Amino acid sequence: MARETTSHSRQESGFGGWIDASLVSLIGVSVVVTVVAGLVQVSYGPFKMTLSETWRAVFNPAVIFDLGAWRAFLLGGDVPDVGRRSIVVWLLRLPRVFTGVLVGANLAIAGAIFQAVTRNELASSQTLGVNAGAGLAVLLTLVVYTELAPLLPFVAALGGALAFVVVYAISWDGGTSPVRLILAGIIVATVFNSLQTALFFYADNLGVVQSALQWTTGSLTGVDWEQVRTVLPWTAVLVPVALVGGRHLNVLVLGEDTAQSLGMNVERMRFGLSGVAILAASSAIAVAGVVGFVGLIVPHLVRTIVGSDYRRVLLGSVFVGPALMTVADVGARLGPAILGFGVGVGAVLVGVATFVGGRAGRRRIRVTLGEGYTRFTALSVGIGAVALAVTLATGGPTVTDTQLPVGVVTGLVGGPYFLYLMRRRQKLGDI
């Protein structure tokens, strides 16, 4: 028995020993969802192509194995002649998918880090003022300092970083605390959002107002490889750093006294990991605008499936974030009818899966939802049925190719999920 315990401890402490079947399954499902949503996304556009023509262009070996083409995509320059359809797909449609994947990953890991650092499940770049700071910087650039418009992504990143510095300064009293960080974040976000509203009254150009609204609601419309080149280097650096920091987050969530007794410099670690989260969120905002709720929803969803070990939460978030972002962008792109149909089907499937899992005695479902899993099933199926009925009553799932901001869709998903979180915390007696 002692030998088995020692072996298990070594496995847990070794590299990769914390990766279990639930995490691998979550990553696999997320990758499949991302790929399917990406293929749906590139299948529609003003240039008419059949599905087979589009997907042959996506998997065209003349592009995939051409180093010159990848050099042009990632470093800029002229793209080799690979055919008109491949050019349309690879230059106009796929960058939107790639940008969504990178934005989703960055927002998700930023949310996971913020929730661990503040030991608050409701923390995210939105509640800590980073989104508001970036949005205010964008509006100032578009309305007042128009000469800085070419530097808009960098201005947004600078605004987000500056907002969190203000939050940290307000909450500092010989050190910080999770509660003071959250309260300071709410204060800064409230003030910056009010300033954003005030700036709209000074904009006399309708185009500027529309552009500003697009940024403040979050959108992937019109992105190209320039946005991929902007966010990719940050993602390549910050995601590995965040994953390495997962074990430090596990110590931080134990509390300041415990972390200090284990030899951790709490303030230095908290500030450093917060910096990683700020850069991740700001780089996402710099190319897609202020996309809300992704950083709030994804860590919760991952934690429900893989447990509270932040090494698992961070790795799972890297894959679930892109899946949520690409699905939301498909809903935003193809119109309310497709979105309603997708929500309806998804809600019914979740309800049925929950009921089947609960009846089969799945431990995680019973621990998470308790014996009330049947009420969750009824609610989920009911929402799905209403969504499907409304979709069918308004003409069925037809593609309209809208350019609805993706932030609107994530808000529609995040609102009900936030309500679910509140009910769950009430049930646990936290609020």
Side-chain angles (χ1 to χ4, degrees):
M1 182 67 184
R3 183 178 298 175
E4 291 179 359
T5 304
T6 303
S7 174
H8 178 72
S9 300
R10 287 175 178 172
Q11 186 182 18
E12 278 293 313
S13 59
F15 177 77
W18 45 270
I19 299 176
D20 58 7
S22 62
L23 179 59
V24 174
S25 301
L26 178 66
I27 291 173
V29 171
S30 300
V31 170
V32 171
V33 170
T34 303
V35 172
V36 172
L39 288 174
V40 173
Q41 179 68 271
V42 300
S43 299
Y44 297 95
F47 186 84
K48 300 300 180 185
M49 287 188 286
T50 64
L51 288 180
S52 62
E53 289 173 340
T54 304
W55 293 359
R56 279 203 302 271
V58 172
F59 298 107
N60 185 359
V63 180
I64 295 175
F65 299 108
D66 188 337
L67 292 180
W70 282 106
R71 189 180 301 113
F73 295 150
L74 299 178
L75 301 178
D78 296 331
V79 178
D81 185 11
V82 290
R84 187 168 60 171
R85 292 188 177 87
S86 293
I87 289 291
V88 169
V89 169
W90 279 87
L91 285 188
L92 301 179
R93 299 184 183 180
L94 276 174
R96 179 169 179 156
V97 177
F98 293 147
T99 303
V101 167
L102 297 172
V103 167
N106 284 355
L107 290 177
I109 63 169
I113 292 175
F114 279 135
Q115 288 176 14
V117 167
T118 60
R119 286 188 286 137
N120 191 319
E121 293 183 359
L122 302 181
S124 69
S125 58
Q126 194 169 4
T127 55
L128 288 173
V130 175
N131 289 5
L136 178 60
V138 168
L139 277 176
L140 279 170
T141 303
L142 293 176
V143 177
V144 182
Y145 305 105
T146 54
E147 65 276 9
L148 296 178
L151 302 176
L152 204 57
F154 301 99
V155 172
L158 183 62
L162 181 62
F164 190 77
V165 170
V166 174
V167 169
Y168 215 88
I170 292 174
S171 64
W172 184 265
D173 184 18
T176 60
S177 73
V179 174
R180 287 204 300 271
L181 280 172
I182 290 291
L183 292 176
I186 293 173
I187 293 169
V188 171
T190 302
V191 173
F192 281 13
N193 284 329
S194 298
L195 292 175
Q196 288 182 38
T197 304
L199 277 176
F200 276 109
F201 289 94
Y202 293 94
D204 52 2
N205 187 318
L206 182 60
V208 169
V209 173
Q210 289 179 334
S211 179
L213 282 174
Q214 192 176 32
W215 268 88
T216 54
T217 53
S219 176
L220 294 174
T221 302
V223 300
D224 56 23
W225 283 100
E226 183 63 35
Q227 280 71 35
V228 177
R229 289 193 286 270
T230 299
V231 70
L232 181 60
W234 294 100
T235 308
V237 173
L238 295 173
V239 168
V241 172
L243 295 177
V244 171
R247 64 189 183 91
H248 299 294
L249 292 176
N250 282 337
V251 177
L252 271 179
V253 296
L254 296 176
E256 296 178 11
D257 294 338
T258 304
Q260 287 174 347
S261 68
L262 293 173
M264 174 179 285
N265 187 324
V266 173
E267 287 303 330
R268 183 179 300 173
M269 188 59 65
R270 180 181 288 158
F271 192 82
L273 290 171
S274 297
V276 173
I278 292 167
L279 291 176
S282 298
S283 64
I285 294 170
V287 296
V290 182
V291 182
F293 284 106
V294 175
L296 177 64
I297 297 172
V298 172
H300 281 283
L301 183 62
V302 175
R303 196 180 296 115
T304 301
I305 297 173
V306 305
S308 58
D309 187 330
Y310 267 91
R311 294 172 298 180
R312 295 191 182 106
V313 173
L314 284 168
L315 184 56
S317 298
V318 171
F319 292 90
V320 175
L324 175 62
M325 194 70 185
T326 49
V327 169
D329 194 37
V330 168
R333 174 76 184 282
L334 301 185
I338 290 292
L339 179 61
F341 182 75
V343 170
V345 172
V348 170
L349 290 177
V350 168
V352 171
T354 303
F355 180 77
V356 173
R359 297 292 291 179
R362 295 287 297 175
R363 179 177 175 275
R364 193 173 297 281
I365 289 178
R366 288 185 176 274
V367 169
T368 304
L369 301 175
E371 295 302 323
Y373 72 90
T374 54
R375 290 196 297 273
F376 179 84
T377 297
L379 179 62
S380 183
V381 172
I383 292 174
V386 170
L388 288 174
V390 171
T391 302
L392 295 175
T394 54
T398 55
V399 175
T400 55
D401 194 17
T402 69
Q403 297 295 341
L404 192 68
V406 67
V408 173
V409 179
T410 57
L412 291 174
V413 175
Y417 192 82
F418 200 83
L419 178 61
Y420 157 72
L421 281 180
M422 189 179 70
R423 297 297 187 196
R424 183 182 173 192
R425 297 294 294 267
Q426 280 181 322
K427 186 177 179 180
L428 295 174
D430 292 345
I431 56 177

